[in-house]
Amino acid sequence: MNRCEHTLWLSWPMPAETNTPYETAMAEISAAQNLPKTVVLKQTHTGDEAYEIRNEAEQIVISGDDAGLLYGVYEILMADGRIENGIRKPAYAYRMINCWDNMDGTIERGYSGRSLWFDNGRIAYDASRIRLLARHLASVGINVICINNVNVHQDALSLIDEHLDDVAELASIFRAYHVRLMLSISFAHPLSDGIATADPLNPAVIGWWERRTALVYSRIPDLAGFLVKADSEGRPGPFTYGRSHAEGANMLAQALQQYGGILVWRCFVYNCRQNWRDTVTDRPKAAYETYQPLDGQFLSNVILQVKNGPYDFQVREPISPLLLSMQKTQLALEVQLAQEYTGQQVDIYEMPPLFKEIWDGMGRDRIMAAAAVSNLGNDMNYTGHPFAALNLYAYGRFASDPDSNPEQVTDDWVRLTYPSFSEQDRKLLAYILMSSRSVYEKYTTPMGLGWMVTPGLHYGPSPEGYEYQAWGTYHRADRDAVGIDRTSNGTGYTRQYPDALCRLYENSETCPDNLLLFFHRLRYDTVLKDGRTLIQRMYDEHFEGVEEVYRMAELLRSMPFPQEDAAVIEERMQRQLINANEWCDVMNTYFHRLSGVQDEHNRKIYD
Ligand code: GCU
């Protein structure tokens, strides 16, 4: 079989081209000849993507709408044997992927090749690859894809201009799988179209956006809406005009309202020109400070999109307090499948445990949408590392059902992706994948430390790489201690949390070990809950992390992966081993030089 046809988790043949989710559902049933028989009945008592499954002589999917039918069909076809009777409905209305693809074909923080749909300033794609992708997204319930980078560069303005017809054509491929397109827009777009300002309260600006939105919807009537990064890392926004983010977002939302479009506004706003000498400003506090006072001021089709942690997708962060504090505003959770800080799809870092941790920390009802920064590209296997596909799969599962069990999700992905594996190999692989996050955490920055990556690139260690820069990412390690005091005695960040969490994090004795250095500045000789000193724990974690990667490598080599996967897995594992050793040695040497403390077990630390 052509590898291109089964690189992700759906292994039965790709059906012929279809136009609607209903046709797709029917086509999938006939394509999956060896799978349990399914009868599709269309009824009207469910709607809004809901469906009912009934196990009778045959397995029956009942739904009032096409999307529900499609989801029911995928659930049955992907199940391991019979599945339970019942009605299901995706937890959130919007389950989105955000692609950071640029018009020149590059991808910001992309680790699996180039863009699947942009090249050289225009839209260009292989329709069969897009269809295969759309199929996989639909199979896990993802229903929106934003195709362009949130950093909207000048050439991407053409997407809602001269390239609109091409965007509409691309939208029609996704439509057959009930995946709607979304577009990132630039807040300053009117400025390059003859308007003297982008002030959201200016009538000329309001009129410009109304006309432009009407034009866009005339070509793509089911566009999900617009995504905006404003006043963030140099992007234009309402602050330039002395307007609030509610004023900025509402103006755009108003233009979208009559078409049923949503306006997704990112909350990644902080001072990226901070002076490292300033110990009062504390970047994790920024999003809450900007948006919490605006709670209740946004129109009903505005969704604020908040990163899972208050910093920026570090290996481990506490849940963003903004997600816990907005009572009258619709929120979307944002996670990052692209492993920007977590191994860049070279090192293995599987996210089912992360998703569980996020949803446990947040609760399922705090949000009404989920978004994930894409890990996709035009590599033959779409995600660079074959295992990175698990992160996409798991994201869809959690965004559809946040009560998903991470072990189950991982097992399901392994079973679907490597159907020929023995039970023992499946279990072993699932175990390796499930533990990969904590392994990565150990050899990089354990205990919530974060930000010791090589600046810019964000792969590999550089303990002081960001220490004297303007990004607000400091650890202030000296010969006695490391970390920032974010308690009430320090920057006061902990006070952004509800009382119970605030109390938990305030006290270093109750703060979970894996977040200790996020919240506290601790001396190296601090004795932790397990009796070890902080510095000893730091050494131990690094040495153990490396050992675990060697073990992982050995186990993976014993497994019967298909040849193409085996080669990629081995090649990346070699790089992960180098990376893990580098992290371990650099970090241990760094802290050893600063503290002068010897490793209790006399392992090799370079002077
Ligand atoms: C990170 C990342 C940027 C990205 C930004 C964002 O800072 O390094 O490349 O633009 O996040 O989320 O907007």
Side-chain angles (χ1 to χ4, degrees), residues 16-29:
E17 199 177 325
T18 48
N19 291 313
T20 66
Y22 181 77
E23 283 172 25
T24 307
M26 300 301 283
E28 290 284 13
I29 293 167

Side-chain angles (χ1 to χ4, degrees), residues 448-470:
L449 191 50
W451 290 116
M452 287 194 165
V453 287
T454 307
L457 179 64
H458 298 170
Y459 187 81
S462 180
E464 296 203 333
Y466 272 121
E467 198 55 18
Y468 302 99
Q469 294 211 11

Side-chain angles (χ1 to χ4, degrees), residues 5 12-16 28 31 128 131-133 135 177:
E5 284 178 13
W12 69 90
M14 176 82 186
E28 290 284 13
S128 67
R131 210 170 292 121
L132 187 79
L133 172 62
R135 177 192 199 210
Y177 291 87

Side-chain angles (χ1 to χ4, degrees), residues 63-85:
S63 179
D65 76 337
D66 287 7
L69 288 177
L70 184 63
Y71 290 161
V73 165
Y74 280 127
E75 181 169 338
I76 290 181
L77 297 184
M78 288 162 67
D80 189 13
R82 281 170 85 83
I83 49 180
E84 276 175 33
N85 287 343

Side-chain angles (χ1 to χ4, degrees), residues 100 108-109 149-151 229 232-233 266 268 270 283 307 312-313 334 336 340-341 373 458:
W100 288 357
E108 180 153 339
R109 310 303 177 187
N149 192 355
V150 288
N151 294 315
K229 173 177 177 177
S232 165
E233 300 186 326
R266 294 179 80 231
F268 188 51
Y270 67 98
R283 173 168 156 182
K307 292 192 182 190
D312 189 12
F313 304 130
E334 178 180 318
Q336 191 187 41
E340 176 179 355
Y341 300 96
V373 178
H458 298 170

Side-chain angles (χ1 to χ4, degrees), residues 187 198-201 205-206 209 246-255 299:
F187 198 77
D199 180 350
L201 300 193
V205 173
I206 296 170
W209 279 111
E247 289 169 319
N250 288 345
M251 181 273 292
L252 293 164
Q254 188 90 54
L299 289 182

Side-chain angles (χ1 to χ4, degrees), residues 96 137 171 185 324 348 355 408 427 512 568:
M96 309 182 275
L137 298 182
I185 55 163
L324 306 181
I348 305 169
F355 298 148
Q408 184 65 53
K427 283 197 171 138
V568 182

